[in-house]
Short mmCIF file of all heavy atoms in Angstrom, two decimals:
data_model
loop_
_atom_site.label_atom_id
_atom_site.label_comp_id
_atom_site.label_asym_id
_atom_site.label_seq_id
_atom_site.Cartn_x
_atom_site.Cartn_y
_atom_site.Cartn_z
N MET V 65 -7.86 -13.26 9.21
CA MET V 65 -7.20 -12.29 8.37
C MET V 65 -6.54 -13.06 7.22
O MET V 65 -5.94 -14.10 7.43
CB MET V 65 -6.15 -11.51 9.15
CG MET V 65 -5.44 -10.49 8.28
SD MET V 65 -4.20 -9.49 9.13
CE MET V 65 -5.20 -8.68 10.33
N ASN V 66 -6.64 -12.49 6.05
CA ASN V 66 -6.02 -13.04 4.85
C ASN V 66 -4.98 -12.05 4.34
O ASN V 66 -5.28 -10.86 4.21
CB ASN V 66 -7.11 -13.28 3.79
CG ASN V 66 -6.53 -13.86 2.52
OD1 ASN V 66 -5.72 -14.76 2.55
ND2 ASN V 66 -6.96 -13.32 1.39
N ILE V 67 -3.78 -12.54 4.08
CA ILE V 67 -2.75 -11.70 3.47
C ILE V 67 -2.50 -12.25 2.08
O ILE V 67 -2.28 -13.45 1.91
CB ILE V 67 -1.46 -11.69 4.30
CG1 ILE V 67 -1.77 -11.06 5.67
CG2 ILE V 67 -0.35 -10.93 3.58
CD1 ILE V 67 -0.62 -11.01 6.62
N ARG V 68 -2.56 -11.36 1.10
CA ARG V 68 -2.44 -11.78 -0.30
C ARG V 68 -1.71 -10.70 -1.09
O ARG V 68 -1.60 -9.55 -0.65
CB ARG V 68 -3.81 -12.05 -0.90
CG ARG V 68 -4.71 -10.83 -0.91
CD ARG V 68 -5.95 -11.04 -1.75
NE ARG V 68 -6.84 -9.90 -1.69
CZ ARG V 68 -6.68 -8.75 -2.33
NH1 ARG V 68 -5.61 -8.55 -3.08
NH2 ARG V 68 -7.57 -7.79 -2.24
N PRO V 69 -1.23 -11.05 -2.29
CA PRO V 69 -0.59 -10.05 -3.14
C PRO V 69 -1.56 -8.93 -3.53
O PRO V 69 -2.76 -9.16 -3.71
CB PRO V 69 -0.16 -10.84 -4.38
CG PRO V 69 -0.08 -12.26 -3.92
CD PRO V 69 -1.15 -12.40 -2.88
N TYR V 70 -1.02 -7.74 -3.64
CA TYR V 70 -1.78 -6.58 -4.12
C TYR V 70 -2.26 -6.85 -5.54
O TYR V 70 -1.54 -7.45 -6.34
CB TYR V 70 -0.88 -5.34 -4.09
CG TYR V 70 -1.48 -4.12 -4.75
CD1 TYR V 70 -2.27 -3.25 -4.04
CD2 TYR V 70 -1.24 -3.86 -6.10
CE1 TYR V 70 -2.83 -2.14 -4.64
CE2 TYR V 70 -1.79 -2.74 -6.71
CZ TYR V 70 -2.59 -1.89 -5.98
OH TYR V 70 -3.14 -0.79 -6.59
N GLN V 71 -3.47 -6.39 -5.85
CA GLN V 71 -4.02 -6.47 -7.20
C GLN V 71 -4.41 -5.06 -7.63
O GLN V 71 -4.77 -4.22 -6.78
CB GLN V 71 -5.25 -7.37 -7.23
CG GLN V 71 -4.98 -8.78 -6.79
CD GLN V 71 -6.27 -9.57 -6.58
OE1 GLN V 71 -7.38 -9.07 -6.74
NE2 GLN V 71 -6.11 -10.82 -6.20
N GLU V 72 -4.38 -4.80 -8.92
CA GLU V 72 -4.74 -3.47 -9.43
C GLU V 72 -6.11 -3.01 -8.90
O GLU V 72 -6.31 -1.83 -8.63
CB GLU V 72 -4.75 -3.47 -10.96
CG GLU V 72 -3.39 -3.67 -11.59
CD GLU V 72 -2.52 -2.42 -11.60
OE1 GLU V 72 -3.05 -1.30 -11.47
OE2 GLU V 72 -1.30 -2.57 -11.75
N SER V 73 -7.02 -3.94 -8.72
CA SER V 73 -8.36 -3.60 -8.24
C SER V 73 -8.36 -3.12 -6.78
O SER V 73 -9.38 -2.62 -6.29
CB SER V 73 -9.31 -4.79 -8.40
OG SER V 73 -8.84 -5.90 -7.67
N ASP V 74 -7.23 -3.25 -6.08
CA ASP V 74 -7.12 -2.81 -4.69
C ASP V 74 -6.78 -1.33 -4.56
O ASP V 74 -6.80 -0.79 -3.44
CB ASP V 74 -6.03 -3.61 -3.96
CG ASP V 74 -6.32 -5.08 -3.88
OD1 ASP V 74 -7.51 -5.46 -3.79
OD2 ASP V 74 -5.35 -5.88 -3.90
N ALA V 75 -6.45 -0.69 -5.65
CA ALA V 75 -5.92 0.69 -5.59
C ALA V 75 -6.82 1.64 -4.81
O ALA V 75 -6.33 2.39 -3.94
CB ALA V 75 -5.68 1.22 -7.00
N GLU V 76 -8.09 1.64 -5.05
CA GLU V 76 -9.00 2.58 -4.38
C GLU V 76 -9.05 2.30 -2.87
O GLU V 76 -8.97 3.22 -2.06
CB GLU V 76 -10.40 2.49 -4.98
CG GLU V 76 -11.35 3.54 -4.44
CD GLU V 76 -12.69 3.50 -5.14
OE1 GLU V 76 -12.74 3.27 -6.35
OE2 GLU V 76 -13.70 3.72 -4.43
N SER V 77 -9.16 1.04 -2.50
CA SER V 77 -9.23 0.69 -1.07
C SER V 77 -7.92 1.00 -0.35
O SER V 77 -7.93 1.50 0.78
CB SER V 77 -9.57 -0.79 -0.91
OG SER V 77 -10.86 -1.06 -1.40
N VAL V 78 -6.79 0.69 -0.99
CA VAL V 78 -5.49 0.99 -0.38
C VAL V 78 -5.32 2.50 -0.23
O VAL V 78 -4.90 2.99 0.82
CB VAL V 78 -4.34 0.36 -1.19
CG1 VAL V 78 -2.98 0.88 -0.73
CG2 VAL V 78 -4.39 -1.16 -1.09
N SER V 79 -5.67 3.24 -1.25
CA SER V 79 -5.56 4.71 -1.19
C SER V 79 -6.42 5.27 -0.06
O SER V 79 -5.97 6.14 0.69
CB SER V 79 -5.98 5.33 -2.52
OG SER V 79 -5.06 5.01 -3.53
N ALA V 80 -7.63 4.79 0.07
CA ALA V 80 -8.52 5.27 1.13
C ALA V 80 -7.96 4.94 2.51
O ALA V 80 -8.00 5.78 3.42
CB ALA V 80 -9.91 4.66 0.96
N LEU V 81 -7.41 3.75 2.67
CA LEU V 81 -6.81 3.36 3.94
C LEU V 81 -5.63 4.27 4.27
O LEU V 81 -5.53 4.80 5.39
CB LEU V 81 -6.36 1.90 3.89
CG LEU V 81 -5.61 1.38 5.12
CD1 LEU V 81 -6.51 1.38 6.35
CD2 LEU V 81 -5.05 -0.01 4.85
N TRP V 82 -4.73 4.46 3.33
CA TRP V 82 -3.57 5.30 3.58
C TRP V 82 -3.97 6.74 3.87
O TRP V 82 -3.38 7.39 4.73
CB TRP V 82 -2.61 5.25 2.40
CG TRP V 82 -1.89 3.95 2.26
CD1 TRP V 82 -1.97 2.85 3.08
CD2 TRP V 82 -0.98 3.60 1.23
NE1 TRP V 82 -1.17 1.85 2.60
CE2 TRP V 82 -0.55 2.27 1.47
CE3 TRP V 82 -0.50 4.26 0.12
CZ2 TRP V 82 0.36 1.62 0.63
CZ3 TRP V 82 0.40 3.61 -0.72
CH2 TRP V 82 0.82 2.29 -0.45
N ASP V 83 -4.96 7.26 3.16
CA ASP V 83 -5.42 8.62 3.42
C ASP V 83 -6.01 8.75 4.82
O ASP V 83 -5.88 9.79 5.47
CB ASP V 83 -6.45 9.06 2.37
CG ASP V 83 -5.83 9.39 1.02
OD1 ASP V 83 -4.62 9.68 0.97
OD2 ASP V 83 -6.57 9.35 0.01
N GLU V 84 -6.67 7.69 5.28
CA GLU V 84 -7.25 7.72 6.63
C GLU V 84 -6.16 7.65 7.70
O GLU V 84 -6.19 8.38 8.69
CB GLU V 84 -8.20 6.54 6.80
CG GLU V 84 -8.87 6.49 8.16
CD GLU V 84 -9.83 5.33 8.31
OE1 GLU V 84 -10.26 4.74 7.30
OE2 GLU V 84 -10.15 5.00 9.47
N VAL V 85 -5.18 6.79 7.50
CA VAL V 85 -4.13 6.59 8.49
C VAL V 85 -3.12 7.73 8.47
O VAL V 85 -2.61 8.12 9.52
CB VAL V 85 -3.43 5.23 8.26
CG1 VAL V 85 -2.25 5.05 9.19
CG2 VAL V 85 -4.42 4.09 8.44
N PHE V 86 -2.82 8.26 7.30
CA PHE V 86 -1.84 9.35 7.14
C PHE V 86 -2.51 10.53 6.44
O PHE V 86 -2.21 10.82 5.28
CB PHE V 86 -0.64 8.86 6.33
CG PHE V 86 0.07 7.68 6.93
CD1 PHE V 86 -0.02 6.43 6.36
CD2 PHE V 86 0.83 7.83 8.08
CE1 PHE V 86 0.63 5.34 6.91
CE2 PHE V 86 1.49 6.75 8.65
CZ PHE V 86 1.39 5.49 8.06
N PRO V 87 -3.40 11.24 7.11
CA PRO V 87 -4.19 12.29 6.44
C PRO V 87 -3.39 13.51 5.99
O PRO V 87 -3.83 14.22 5.09
CB PRO V 87 -5.23 12.69 7.50
CG PRO V 87 -4.57 12.36 8.80
CD PRO V 87 -3.73 11.13 8.52
N ASN V 88 -2.25 13.75 6.56
CA ASN V 88 -1.47 14.95 6.22
C ASN V 88 -0.17 14.63 5.50
O ASN V 88 0.80 15.37 5.62
CB ASN V 88 -1.19 15.76 7.50
CG ASN V 88 -2.47 16.21 8.16
OD1 ASN V 88 -3.36 16.73 7.49
ND2 ASN V 88 -2.58 16.00 9.45
N ASN V 89 -0.17 13.57 4.74
CA ASN V 89 1.04 13.18 4.01
C ASN V 89 1.42 14.23 2.97
O ASN V 89 0.55 14.81 2.32
CB ASN V 89 0.81 11.85 3.29
CG ASN V 89 1.50 10.71 3.99
OD1 ASN V 89 2.29 10.89 4.89
ND2 ASN V 89 1.20 9.52 3.54
N PRO V 90 2.72 14.45 2.77
CA PRO V 90 3.15 15.35 1.70
C PRO V 90 2.84 14.74 0.34
O PRO V 90 2.65 13.52 0.22
CB PRO V 90 4.66 15.48 1.93
CG PRO V 90 5.05 14.28 2.71
CD PRO V 90 3.85 13.89 3.52
N SER V 91 2.81 15.56 -0.68
CA SER V 91 2.42 15.10 -2.02
C SER V 91 3.33 14.00 -2.55
O SER V 91 2.87 13.14 -3.31
CB SER V 91 2.38 16.27 -3.00
OG SER V 91 3.65 16.89 -3.07
N HIS V 92 4.60 13.98 -2.15
CA HIS V 92 5.50 12.92 -2.65
C HIS V 92 5.15 11.56 -2.04
O HIS V 92 5.69 10.54 -2.47
CB HIS V 92 6.97 13.27 -2.41
CG HIS V 92 7.39 13.26 -0.97
ND1 HIS V 92 7.29 14.37 -0.18
CD2 HIS V 92 7.88 12.28 -0.19
CE1 HIS V 92 7.71 14.08 1.04
NE2 HIS V 92 8.07 12.81 1.06
N SER V 93 4.25 11.52 -1.07
CA SER V 93 3.80 10.27 -0.48
C SER V 93 2.34 9.95 -0.81
O SER V 93 1.72 9.14 -0.13
CB SER V 93 3.96 10.33 1.05
OG SER V 93 5.32 10.34 1.40
N SER V 94 1.81 10.59 -1.84
CA SER V 94 0.42 10.33 -2.20
C SER V 94 0.25 8.86 -2.57
O SER V 94 1.14 8.26 -3.19
CB SER V 94 -0.03 11.22 -3.36
OG SER V 94 0.55 10.77 -4.56
N PRO V 95 -0.86 8.25 -2.17
CA PRO V 95 -1.06 6.84 -2.46
C PRO V 95 -0.90 6.49 -3.94
O PRO V 95 -0.24 5.51 -4.28
CB PRO V 95 -2.49 6.57 -1.98
CG PRO V 95 -2.69 7.56 -0.88
CD PRO V 95 -1.95 8.79 -1.35
N LYS V 96 -1.48 7.28 -4.82
CA LYS V 96 -1.39 6.98 -6.25
C LYS V 96 0.06 6.92 -6.71
O LYS V 96 0.47 6.00 -7.43
CB LYS V 96 -2.17 8.02 -7.05
CG LYS V 96 -2.22 7.75 -8.52
CD LYS V 96 -3.07 8.77 -9.24
CE LYS V 96 -3.11 8.46 -10.73
NZ LYS V 96 -3.97 9.38 -11.46
N LEU V 97 0.87 7.88 -6.28
CA LEU V 97 2.28 7.93 -6.66
C LEU V 97 3.05 6.75 -6.06
O LEU V 97 3.81 6.07 -6.76
CB LEU V 97 2.89 9.25 -6.21
CG LEU V 97 4.39 9.43 -6.48
CD1 LEU V 97 4.68 9.38 -7.98
CD2 LEU V 97 4.87 10.72 -5.87
N VAL V 98 2.86 6.51 -4.76
CA VAL V 98 3.61 5.43 -4.09
C VAL V 98 3.25 4.07 -4.67
O VAL V 98 4.12 3.23 -4.88
CB VAL V 98 3.36 5.49 -2.57
CG1 VAL V 98 3.96 4.28 -1.88
CG2 VAL V 98 3.94 6.78 -1.99
N ILE V 99 1.97 3.85 -4.93
CA ILE V 99 1.55 2.57 -5.52
C ILE V 99 2.20 2.38 -6.87
O ILE V 99 2.75 1.30 -7.15
CB ILE V 99 0.02 2.48 -5.60
CG1 ILE V 99 -0.57 2.33 -4.18
CG2 ILE V 99 -0.42 1.31 -6.49
CD1 ILE V 99 -2.08 2.48 -4.12
N SER V 100 2.20 3.39 -7.71
CA SER V 100 2.80 3.23 -9.04
C SER V 100 4.31 3.01 -8.93
O SER V 100 4.88 2.21 -9.69
CB SER V 100 2.48 4.43 -9.94
OG SER V 100 3.12 5.59 -9.48
N GLN V 101 4.97 3.69 -7.99
CA GLN V 101 6.40 3.48 -7.81
C GLN V 101 6.70 2.07 -7.33
O GLN V 101 7.65 1.43 -7.79
CB GLN V 101 6.96 4.51 -6.82
CG GLN V 101 7.01 5.91 -7.38
CD GLN V 101 7.39 6.93 -6.34
OE1 GLN V 101 7.22 6.74 -5.14
NE2 GLN V 101 7.92 8.06 -6.80
N LYS V 102 5.89 1.56 -6.41
CA LYS V 102 6.12 0.20 -5.91
C LYS V 102 5.86 -0.82 -7.00
O LYS V 102 6.59 -1.80 -7.13
CB LYS V 102 5.23 -0.10 -4.69
CG LYS V 102 5.39 -1.52 -4.16
CD LYS V 102 6.85 -1.82 -3.82
CE LYS V 102 7.06 -3.29 -3.53
NZ LYS V 102 8.45 -3.68 -3.61
N LEU V 103 4.85 -0.64 -7.81
CA LEU V 103 4.54 -1.60 -8.87
C LEU V 103 5.64 -1.63 -9.92
O LEU V 103 5.80 -2.62 -10.62
CB LEU V 103 3.18 -1.29 -9.50
CG LEU V 103 1.99 -1.49 -8.57
CD1 LEU V 103 0.70 -1.10 -9.28
CD2 LEU V 103 1.92 -2.90 -8.02
N ALA V 104 6.43 -0.57 -10.00
CA ALA V 104 7.55 -0.53 -10.95
C ALA V 104 8.78 -1.27 -10.41
O ALA V 104 9.67 -1.61 -11.18
CB ALA V 104 7.91 0.92 -11.27
N VAL V 105 8.82 -1.49 -9.09
CA VAL V 105 9.97 -2.14 -8.46
C VAL V 105 9.46 -3.28 -7.57
O VAL V 105 8.86 -3.04 -6.54
CB VAL V 105 10.76 -1.13 -7.58
CG1 VAL V 105 11.93 -1.80 -6.90
CG2 VAL V 105 11.21 0.06 -8.40
N GLN V 106 9.69 -4.50 -7.98
CA GLN V 106 9.30 -5.69 -7.23
C GLN V 106 7.83 -5.68 -6.80
O GLN V 106 7.51 -5.73 -5.61
CB GLN V 106 10.19 -5.87 -6.00
CG GLN V 106 11.64 -6.16 -6.34
CD GLN V 106 12.50 -6.29 -5.12
OE1 GLN V 106 12.51 -5.43 -4.26
NE2 GLN V 106 13.24 -7.39 -5.05
N PRO V 107 6.91 -5.62 -7.75
CA PRO V 107 5.49 -5.61 -7.40
C PRO V 107 5.05 -6.86 -6.64
O PRO V 107 4.06 -6.83 -5.91
CB PRO V 107 4.79 -5.50 -8.75
CG PRO V 107 5.77 -6.03 -9.74
CD PRO V 107 7.12 -5.66 -9.19
N GLU V 108 5.81 -7.93 -6.78
CA GLU V 108 5.46 -9.17 -6.07
C GLU V 108 5.68 -9.06 -4.56
O GLU V 108 5.27 -9.95 -3.80
CB GLU V 108 6.26 -10.36 -6.64
CG GLU V 108 7.74 -10.33 -6.35
CD GLU V 108 8.58 -9.48 -7.31
OE1 GLU V 108 8.01 -8.73 -8.13
OE2 GLU V 108 9.81 -9.57 -7.23
N LEU V 109 6.28 -7.97 -4.11
CA LEU V 109 6.51 -7.76 -2.68
C LEU V 109 5.59 -6.68 -2.10
O LEU V 109 5.93 -5.99 -1.14
CB LEU V 109 7.98 -7.39 -2.43
CG LEU V 109 8.99 -8.47 -2.78
CD1 LEU V 109 10.41 -7.99 -2.53
CD2 LEU V 109 8.71 -9.76 -2.00
N PHE V 110 4.42 -6.55 -2.67
CA PHE V 110 3.39 -5.62 -2.19
C PHE V 110 2.17 -6.47 -1.84
O PHE V 110 1.62 -7.18 -2.68
CB PHE V 110 3.06 -4.61 -3.29
CG PHE V 110 2.14 -3.48 -2.90
CD1 PHE V 110 1.74 -3.26 -1.60
CD2 PHE V 110 1.68 -2.63 -3.88
CE1 PHE V 110 0.89 -2.21 -1.27
CE2 PHE V 110 0.83 -1.57 -3.57
CZ PHE V 110 0.45 -1.36 -2.26
N PHE V 111 1.79 -6.44 -0.57
CA PHE V 111 0.71 -7.29 -0.08
C PHE V 111 -0.37 -6.46 0.61
O PHE V 111 -0.10 -5.36 1.09
CB PHE V 111 1.25 -8.30 0.94
CG PHE V 111 2.30 -9.21 0.39
CD1 PHE V 111 3.64 -8.87 0.48
CD2 PHE V 111 1.96 -10.39 -0.24
CE1 PHE V 111 4.63 -9.70 -0.04
CE2 PHE V 111 2.94 -11.23 -0.76
CZ PHE V 111 4.27 -10.88 -0.66
N VAL V 112 -1.56 -7.01 0.66
CA VAL V 112 -2.64 -6.41 1.42
C VAL V 112 -3.13 -7.43 2.44
O VAL V 112 -3.06 -8.63 2.22
CB VAL V 112 -3.82 -5.94 0.54
CG1 VAL V 112 -3.37 -4.86 -0.43
CG2 VAL V 112 -4.46 -7.09 -0.21
N ALA V 113 -3.60 -6.91 3.57
CA ALA V 113 -4.23 -7.74 4.59
C ALA V 113 -5.71 -7.40 4.56
O ALA V 113 -6.09 -6.22 4.50
CB ALA V 113 -3.64 -7.43 5.96
N GLU V 114 -6.54 -8.43 4.58
CA GLU V 114 -7.97 -8.18 4.53
C GLU V 114 -8.71 -9.06 5.54
O GLU V 114 -8.27 -10.15 5.87
CB GLU V 114 -8.53 -8.40 3.12
CG GLU V 114 -8.29 -9.76 2.55
CD GLU V 114 -8.76 -9.91 1.10
OE1 GLU V 114 -9.18 -8.94 0.48
OE2 GLU V 114 -8.69 -11.05 0.62
N ILE V 115 -9.80 -8.51 6.01
CA ILE V 115 -10.72 -9.22 6.88
C ILE V 115 -12.09 -9.11 6.23
O ILE V 115 -12.56 -8.00 5.94
CB ILE V 115 -10.74 -8.64 8.30
CG1 ILE V 115 -9.37 -8.79 8.95
CG2 ILE V 115 -11.82 -9.31 9.15
CD1 ILE V 115 -9.25 -8.12 10.31
N SER V 116 -12.72 -10.24 5.98
CA SER V 116 -14.03 -10.27 5.33
C SER V 116 -14.03 -9.45 4.04
O SER V 116 -14.93 -8.65 3.79
CB SER V 116 -15.12 -9.78 6.28
OG SER V 116 -15.18 -10.58 7.43
N SER V 117 -12.97 -9.60 3.25
CA SER V 117 -12.80 -8.92 1.96
C SER V 117 -12.61 -7.41 2.06
O SER V 117 -12.70 -6.71 1.06
CB SER V 117 -13.97 -9.25 1.02
OG SER V 117 -14.03 -10.64 0.79
N VAL V 118 -12.35 -6.89 3.26
CA VAL V 118 -12.09 -5.46 3.45
C VAL V 118 -10.60 -5.30 3.74
O VAL V 118 -10.07 -5.94 4.65
CB VAL V 118 -12.92 -4.88 4.61
CG1 VAL V 118 -12.55 -3.43 4.88
CG2 VAL V 118 -14.41 -5.03 4.32
N ILE V 119 -9.93 -4.43 2.98
CA ILE V 119 -8.49 -4.21 3.19
C ILE V 119 -8.28 -3.42 4.47
O ILE V 119 -8.81 -2.31 4.63
CB ILE V 119 -7.86 -3.51 1.98
CG1 ILE V 119 -7.92 -4.46 0.77
CG2 ILE V 119 -6.41 -3.10 2.27
CD1 ILE V 119 -7.40 -3.89 -0.52
N VAL V 120 -7.51 -4.02 5.39
CA VAL V 120 -7.25 -3.40 6.69
C VAL V 120 -5.77 -3.11 6.91
O VAL V 120 -5.40 -2.53 7.93
CB VAL V 120 -7.79 -4.29 7.83
CG1 VAL V 120 -9.30 -4.42 7.74
CG2 VAL V 120 -7.13 -5.66 7.84
N GLY V 121 -4.92 -3.50 5.96
CA GLY V 121 -3.49 -3.25 6.10
C GLY V 121 -2.76 -3.50 4.81
O GLY V 121 -3.30 -4.09 3.87
N THR V 122 -1.54 -3.02 4.75
CA THR V 122 -0.68 -3.21 3.58
C THR V 122 0.73 -3.51 4.05
O THR V 122 1.13 -3.12 5.15
CB THR V 122 -0.64 -1.98 2.66
OG1 THR V 122 -0.10 -0.87 3.37
CG2 THR V 122 -2.02 -1.63 2.13
N ILE V 123 1.48 -4.19 3.20
CA ILE V 123 2.87 -4.49 3.46
C ILE V 123 3.64 -4.31 2.16
O ILE V 123 3.25 -4.87 1.13
CB ILE V 123 3.05 -5.95 3.95
CG1 ILE V 123 2.20 -6.21 5.18
CG2 ILE V 123 4.53 -6.25 4.21
CD1 ILE V 123 1.99 -7.68 5.45
N MET V 124 4.70 -3.51 2.19
CA MET V 124 5.58 -3.37 1.04
C MET V 124 6.98 -3.76 1.50
O MET V 124 7.46 -3.24 2.50
CB MET V 124 5.61 -1.93 0.53
CG MET V 124 4.34 -1.48 -0.11
SD MET V 124 4.51 0.08 -1.01
CE MET V 124 4.92 1.23 0.27
N ALA V 125 7.61 -4.65 0.79
CA ALA V 125 8.97 -5.08 1.13
C ALA V 125 9.91 -4.76 -0.01
O ALA V 125 9.50 -4.69 -1.17
CB ALA V 125 8.98 -6.58 1.41
N GLY V 126 11.18 -4.54 0.32
CA GLY V 126 12.18 -4.32 -0.71
C GLY V 126 12.04 -3.02 -1.46
O GLY V 126 12.39 -2.93 -2.62
N TYR V 127 11.52 -1.99 -0.78
CA TYR V 127 11.28 -0.71 -1.44
C TYR V 127 11.78 0.39 -0.53
O TYR V 127 11.34 0.51 0.60
CB TYR V 127 9.78 -0.56 -1.72
CG TYR V 127 9.38 0.76 -2.34
CD1 TYR V 127 9.91 1.17 -3.56
CD2 TYR V 127 8.49 1.60 -1.72
CE1 TYR V 127 9.53 2.36 -4.13
CE2 TYR V 127 8.10 2.79 -2.30
CZ TYR V 127 8.62 3.16 -3.49
OH TYR V 127 8.26 4.35 -4.06
N ASP V 128 12.71 1.20 -0.99
CA ASP V 128 13.31 2.23 -0.16
C ASP V 128 12.49 3.51 -0.05
O ASP V 128 12.90 4.43 0.64
CB ASP V 128 14.71 2.58 -0.67
CG ASP V 128 15.72 1.50 -0.31
OD1 ASP V 128 15.49 0.76 0.64
OD2 ASP V 128 16.74 1.42 -1.01
N GLY V 129 11.37 3.58 -0.72
CA GLY V 129 10.57 4.79 -0.67
C GLY V 129 10.00 5.10 0.71
O GLY V 129 9.87 6.23 1.10
N HIS V 130 9.65 4.06 1.46
CA HIS V 130 9.04 4.23 2.77
C HIS V 130 9.54 3.13 3.68
O HIS V 130 9.51 1.96 3.30
CB HIS V 130 7.52 4.18 2.68
CG HIS V 130 6.98 5.22 1.78
ND1 HIS V 130 6.82 6.52 2.17
CD2 HIS V 130 6.61 5.17 0.48
CE1 HIS V 130 6.36 7.22 1.15
NE2 HIS V 130 6.23 6.43 0.11
N ARG V 131 9.95 3.49 4.87
CA ARG V 131 10.46 2.49 5.81
C ARG V 131 9.67 2.55 7.10
O ARG V 131 9.36 3.62 7.59
CB ARG V 131 11.93 2.74 6.10
CG ARG V 131 12.77 2.61 4.86
CD ARG V 131 14.20 2.92 5.17
NE ARG V 131 14.90 2.99 3.89
CZ ARG V 131 16.18 2.81 3.76
NH1 ARG V 131 16.92 2.56 4.80
NH2 ARG V 131 16.75 2.88 2.58
N GLY V 132 9.37 1.39 7.63
CA GLY V 132 8.77 1.32 8.94
C GLY V 132 7.29 1.55 9.01
O GLY V 132 6.77 1.75 10.10
N TRP V 133 6.60 1.53 7.92
CA TRP V 133 5.14 1.69 7.96
C TRP V 133 4.50 0.35 8.23
O TRP V 133 4.75 -0.62 7.52
CB TRP V 133 4.61 2.18 6.64
CG TRP V 133 4.80 3.61 6.34
CD1 TRP V 133 5.60 4.52 6.98
CD2 TRP V 133 4.19 4.32 5.28
NE1 TRP V 133 5.51 5.73 6.38
CE2 TRP V 133 4.64 5.64 5.32
CE3 TRP V 133 3.29 3.98 4.29
CZ2 TRP V 133 4.22 6.61 4.43
CZ3 TRP V 133 2.88 4.94 3.39
CH2 TRP V 133 3.34 6.24 3.47
N LEU V 134 3.69 0.26 9.22
CA LEU V 134 2.84 -0.90 9.46
C LEU V 134 1.42 -0.40 9.47
O LEU V 134 1.03 0.35 10.35
CB LEU V 134 3.18 -1.58 10.79
CG LEU V 134 4.52 -2.28 10.86
CD1 LEU V 134 4.75 -2.82 12.26
CD2 LEU V 134 4.60 -3.40 9.84
N LEU V 135 0.68 -0.77 8.47
CA LEU V 135 -0.72 -0.30 8.39
C LEU V 135 -1.64 -1.47 8.57
O LEU V 135 -1.49 -2.49 8.04
CB LEU V 135 -0.99 0.32 7.02
CG LEU V 135 -0.14 1.52 6.65
CD1 LEU V 135 -0.48 1.97 5.23
CD2 LEU V 135 -0.37 2.63 7.61
#
């Protein structure tokens, strides 16, 4: 497993992962919105976990929008 900083090119894969894991999220938790909010506040604390170049998890630190998510 490789953990690395989030890159703009990860948006589609991260969104798909979150939609799969949290299929009934309210609109205020939509991946597009949450990603843009996180990138506005300490973007260096947004990471993705990947296996064989496939994103299998995400980590956001220092952001009060969501607490306790381990994906």
Side-chain angles (χ1 to χ4, degrees):
M65 180 179 299
N66 180 44
I67 297 179
R68 61 169 177 76
Y70 172 88
Q71 301 169 359
E72 293 281 341
S73 60
D74 297 327
E76 187 175 323
S77 295
V78 169
S79 292
L81 175 65
W82 289 358
D83 285 338
E84 181 179 342
V85 175
F86 302 109
N88 299 313
N89 256 350
S91 60
H92 69 271
S93 291
S94 74
K96 184 177 181 177
L97 177 62
V98 172
I99 290 169
S100 67
Q101 289 173 336
K102 178 56 190 163
L103 294 178
V105 179
Q106 295 178 308
E108 69 277 10
L109 296 178
F110 187 8
F111 300 91
V112 298
E114 58 185 5
I115 297 174
S116 300
S117 299
V118 175
I119 294 177
V120 297
T122 62
I123 304 162
M124 291 192 297
Y127 177 60
D128 285 337
H130 301 280
R131 297 177 189 203
W133 283 13
L134 291 176
L135 300 177

